[in-house]
Amino acid sequence: MIARASQLFLPTLREPPADAEAASHKLLVRGGFVRQVGTGLWTYLPLGWRVHRKIEQIVREEMDGIGAQEFLAPVLTPVELWEATGRDKIPELFHLSDRTGRRFILPITHEETFTFHAREIRSYKELPQLWYHFQTKDRDEPRPRGGLLRVREFIMKDAYSFDRDEESAFVSFEKNRAAYHRIFERCGVEAHEVRAESGIMGGELTFDFLAPSGSGENTLVRCERGDYAADAEIAQGVPRAPELPAPLAAPEEVETPGVATCEALATFLGTDLAATSKAMPVTTDDGRVVLALIRGDDRLSESKLLSALKIGSRASTDDEIRAAFGASGGSLGPVGYEGEVIADLTLREGQFVAGANRDGFHLRGVEAGRDYEPEFADLREPVDGDRCPECGGALTFQTAIEVGHIFYFADKYSSGLGATFLDENGREKPILGGSYGIGPGRVLAAVIEQNHDADGIAAWPESIAPYHAHLVVLPGADEIAEQAAEALSAAGRDVLLDDRDQRAGEKFADADLIGCPIRVTAGKKSLEDGKVDVRTRADGAEKRLDVAELGKEV
RNA sequence: CGGGGCGUGGCGCAGCCUGGUUAGCGCGUUGGUCUGGGGGACCAAAGGUCGCGAGUUCGAAUCUCGCCGCCCCGACCA
């Protein structure tokens, strides 16, 4: 097809909006792909919507390819469905009422609605089922940010699988997982599957797809050799080995006046910082004071602590610490502490310096299992310099965007909503479910984050480009430009024919900005030899081609 | 929700501290002339409740208070 720029609403800007920071945010606005309506609320302009739709189509083809059936469920949802699963308390939900006072919510995902429909499934003979739709999600986000990176309203492709047993559910899960890899591949976005945080729930099977990006809210940790990838919130890096002093037969108290941090302690004693331990008392939501113990050179990962304790917690107050330990922060340690101690795995072997629970004193030679009995868990934040837990290779850290998420949740929704089936033996069982989400808008933003330069988007992958070719028409070359456009269009290419009455420089700048994979220029030179210049946006390679060859060559 | 910042023609900004003629500048827009392969030049023009509301004052874009909106950091994130 051929679109004429002179007739499009294509408001490109020379300067990025003052409040934009993320590259994708700046370029999407400058290139006339999107415009902001309010915080976290965006309109896709025609150019942006074309990209969105192309991404949708790829997702649709891959979902259909694994036997998924496309639905369309409503946004406005009776609150009773959400009360049935207990999710009506989620703070991100928008609530509203109709004129008679009936209450509704705007869904953040559609598990309830699809499980509601799954109640029509009566027999094991109707299973498995895999359903999906593209539908608007609304979320009362505490802080939308970064243009399209985190928004309050967006379209998501969400799919729901319904199976009779775990074995079957696992097959459904694997199908979706494989489809996701194909989707990101086809969209030209680099995305890595990582095991995601299971949080307090635990036991659930969940993977994120993270796209490395200049801006984002996740940190992707990967092994340089490609055999390990995880979100930093759960990644298990292997830290360097500490230089431990000669072991002692029993802990030995040393006076450490005025030493309040591990750094000061290591300096004072002349030991390796990694040979000290850091005591971080936390108070759980149910009021217990738990001593979290990590190596002196590490930072406590709050997400890992949450997973380990299976309950929320906060740093204990000075008063709570004094009451529990009889000492103040800076001199705390596990030895002699009556409460729970949860220690990082790095402290399992060896002797470390720890607080003595006596102000101004520490203990040398403290050994887990001998001097205190902790529960062990992975509690440390991985850091640059850690080694791969699989192979010992170097780990790299990259900020990333979560572009997809797959989740197996068993009967979590079907039990609340009463979605059951009868098996061969006539026994009623809960249907087992999983959900699979992709945000096309985030994919779109991720592609730009991964493909841009000083001039603009460099370039859209062929598969999702708003147009395949940006045809720059210079004065006098209208006729040959039309022929070139026809040739490209006949070959199945989408053509943006830039027939605006603008300077050459502006058209070239806009072409670079918008980032179609190739730029075709018809100008004065074309009038002499009937050829046009074809330039590849990604690498700047340029060649002159006969109009007749265009369809074949490009 | 805590911290920081911003709000002035379509876009990007100055003016505010130290109140005082018709509120400026660049880009863009409209008309015109010349131009024409990397955001060209010149001429003319249109376009602004200075976020909203109170207050102080003879007088408020400017000072005070309140509210709203937007951005960034943090908390949070099914």
Side-chain angles (χ1 to χ4, degrees):
Chain A
M1 55 81 72
I2 301 170
R4 287 165 203 281
S6 62
Q7 289 156 40
L8 292 183
F9 183 63
L10 183 53
T12 56
L13 300 174
R14 198 161 178 167
E15 297 177 76
D19 51 25
E21 300 209 344
S24 58
H25 183 184
K26 292 180 185 173
L27 292 173
L28 282 166
V29 173
R30 281 192 59 208
F33 292 88
V34 299
R35 284 295 184 266
Q36 185 168 20
V37 177
T39 300
L41 300 173
W42 293 85
T43 292
Y44 283 81
L45 303 184
L47 201 64
W49 188 238
R50 283 185 65 84
V51 179
H52 196 285
R53 286 193 356 196
K54 288 193 173 188
I55 295 170
E56 278 180 29
Q57 187 53 29
I58 288 172
V59 174
R60 178 175 286 116
E61 288 169 13
E62 292 298 335
M63 294 309 294
D64 290 350
I66 58 170
Q69 304 160 70
E70 186 166 355
F71 280 47
L72 181 62
V75 175
L76 197 61
T77 305
V79 74
E80 287 78 10
L81 280 184
W82 286 65
E83 287 170 347
T85 61
R87 289 215 300 170
D88 59 310
K89 299 294 187 293
I90 290 173
E92 280 75 21
L93 281 178
F94 281 108
H95 294 261
L96 65 163
S97 307
D98 72 7
R99 66 183 77 193
T100 67
R102 273 188 288 256
R103 290 149 56 227
F104 298 84
I105 59 96
L106 302 177
I108 53 179
T109 57
H110 277 78
E111 277 84 358
E112 279 78 2
T113 308
F114 276 83
T115 305
F116 164 81
H117 291 301
R119 295 198 293 199
E120 275 195 70
I121 295 170
R122 318 308 307 229
S123 160
Y124 71 95
K125 295 174 190 169
E126 297 169 68
L127 293 171
Q129 291 286 329
L130 180 56
W131 302 342
Y132 76 101
H133 67 170
F134 291 90
Q135 183 58 290
T136 301
K137 305 291 181 260
D138 287 277
R139 300 181 180 188
D140 189 359
E141 293 286 354
R143 187 153 103 73
R145 71 192 88 186
L148 295 185
L149 296 183
R150 189 168 203 87
V151 295
R152 292 198 291 182
E153 180 172 289
F154 63 101
I155 290 174
M156 176 189 259
K157 183 288 297 177
D158 40 327
Y160 303 92
S161 63
F162 300 102
D163 285 276
R164 54 176 302 183
D165 55 30
E166 293 244 328
E167 190 185 350
S168 170
F170 188 66
V171 171
S172 295
F173 191 83
E174 287 302 313
K175 276 187 187 173
N176 279 279
R177 177 152 76 155
Y180 271 39
H181 283 286
R182 289 192 293 272
I183 287 166
F184 296 125
E185 172 81 28
R186 286 183 62 187
C187 288
V189 64
E190 178 192 348
H192 300 272
E193 177 189 301
V194 300
R195 184 175 277 274
E197 188 189 9
S198 55
I200 301 175
M201 305 305 292
E204 290 159 328
L205 191 56
T206 170
F207 292 91
D208 274 335
F209 288 83
L210 298 184
S213 157
S215 299
E217 300 183 301
N218 297 73
T219 300
L220 172 63
V221 180
R222 277 192 300 147
C223 174
E224 57 179 352
R225 296 178 194 159
D227 55 0
Y228 182 77
D231 189 295
E233 291 200 332
I234 64 157
Q236 299 185 319
V238 177
R240 70 176 175 88
E243 292 170 30
L244 296 171
L248 302 174
E252 176 185 301
E253 198 171 66
V254 287
E255 189 166 1
T256 52
V259 171
T261 66
C262 285
E263 287 76 9
L265 181 65
T267 304
F268 183 82
L269 296 176
T271 62
D272 184 0
L273 179 59
T276 66
S277 64
K278 192 185 290 183
M280 307 192 69
V282 298
T283 302
T284 60
D285 291 346
D286 59 4
R288 292 172 289 144
V289 174
V290 177
L291 183 65
L293 203 63
I294 57 175
R295 225 168 68 173
D297 58 336
D298 278 332
R299 286 174 53 117
L300 180 66
S301 163
E302 291 179 28
S303 55
K304 288 180 178 179
L305 183 66
L306 176 66
S307 295
L309 295 176
K310 297 185 171 50
I311 187 170
S313 61
R314 54 166 174 79
S316 300
T317 63
D318 290 345
D319 289 345
E320 288 168 341
I321 291 171
R322 176 61 62 181
F325 295 90
S328 53
S331 299
L332 305 180
V335 179
Y337 177 56
E338 301 289 328
E340 297 164 68
V341 178
I342 185 162
D344 185 71
L345 297 168
T346 49
L347 300 174
R348 196 192 277 276
E349 302 292 333
Q351 297 187 349
F352 295 81
V353 183
N357 293 327
R358 180 179 168 204
D359 287 347
F361 289 86
H362 281 79
L363 297 175
R364 288 182 193 271
V366 172
E367 185 175 323
R370 183 189 70 181
D371 304 318
Y372 66 105
E373 280 297 340
E375 179 188 335
F376 284 106
D378 175 32
L379 294 178
R380 64 184 290 274
E381 276 185 10
V383 293
D384 211 347
D386 284 355
R387 313 302 293 184
C388 170
E390 301 292 334
C391 72
L395 292 181
T396 60
F397 289 66
Q398 294 171 288
T399 57
I401 305 170
E402 181 188 334
V403 287
H405 193 172
I406 58 178
F407 215 96
Y408 171 63
F409 47 69
D411 64 347
K412 180 173 170 185
Y413 297 95
S414 57
S415 60
L417 285 156
T420 60
F421 69 100
L422 294 179
D423 69 9
E424 295 96 320
N425 304 313
R427 269 209 302 271
E428 186 175 46
K429 291 182 169 173
I431 298 176
L432 301 180
S435 65
Y436 315 88
I438 284 184
R442 278 196 175 170
V443 172
L444 190 157
V447 166
I448 297 176
E449 292 287 340
Q450 292 177 359
N451 300 283
H452 68 273
D453 60 23
D455 297 319
I457 298 163
W460 287 107
E462 185 86 9
S463 58
I464 63 171
Y467 299 95
H468 300 112
H470 192 135
L471 211 168
V472 173
V473 190
L474 298 178
D478 308 72
E479 203 169 311
I480 199 161
E482 292 288 344
Q483 290 166 9
E486 286 297 340
L488 287 164
S489 180
R493 312 281 79 189
D494 292 340
V495 182
L496 177 59
L497 181 67
D498 194 348
D499 56 347
R500 297 173 302 170
D501 183 22
Q502 304 277 16
R503 311 285 304 179
E506 291 181 60
K507 294 191 182 192
F508 290 143
D510 274 350
D512 289 342
L513 174 61
I514 291 169
C516 296
I518 63 163
R519 185 185 81 193
V520 178
T521 306
K524 199 178 277 177
K525 288 191 273 178
S526 308
L527 298 177
E528 294 161 11
D529 59 7
K531 294 178 193 257
V532 290
D533 292 299
V534 179
R535 180 181 160 110
T536 310
R537 175 64 178 89
D539 61 9
E542 193 153 348
K543 56 186 172 182
R544 284 186 72 71
L545 287 179
D546 200 276
V547 171
E549 311 174 303
L550 263 185
K552 293 195 291 283
E553 294 280 332
V554 175

